[in-house]
Amino acid sequence: MSLYRRTGVSVESYVEMARGVAVRCEVDRLNEQASLAFGSSESFVLSLDRDALEQLVSVGSRAIAELDVEGESLTVM
């Protein structure tokens, strides 16, 4: 059961990931979905369809670019 569900986002828990955490992906080509698993025992799994995965990669790439730039913080919504 979700802790919170609103506007298409279901939140199960808060996750903070340190360096060196095991990460793997599993792709379901038939349904155009990917599952990203984090932790040695896959304690956190993020399941996304193609559109959501593209959005996550895009915002992540923008965040990485912003980390490389000095100055004001960028908030991506």
Side-chain angles (χ1 to χ4, degrees):
M1 174 176 251
S2 299
L3 298 175
Y4 178 80
R5 181 179 290 272
R6 188 173 194 180
T7 64
V9 176
S10 175
V11 177
E12 301 295 332
S13 64
Y14 178 80
V15 176
E16 191 171 311
M17 191 166 87
R19 289 180 188 225
V21 171
V23 180
R24 73 172 193 85
C25 73
E26 186 174 302
V27 176
D28 178 353
R29 289 183 181 87
L30 180 63
N31 294 305
E32 291 199 321
Q33 293 184 328
S35 294
L36 310 177
F38 305 90
S40 59
S41 60
E42 299 181 0
S43 48
F44 177 72
V45 177
L46 180 60
S47 296
L48 305 164
D49 66 13
R50 176 183 285 272
D51 292 337
L53 180 60
E54 287 175 351
Q55 186 176 19
L56 178 66
V57 169
S58 176
V59 75
S61 295
R62 289 171 55 188
I64 289 169
E66 184 62 25
L67 287 171
D68 292 336
V69 175
E70 291 184 26
E72 293 184 29
S73 297
L74 171 67
T75 302
V76 180
M77 298 286 205

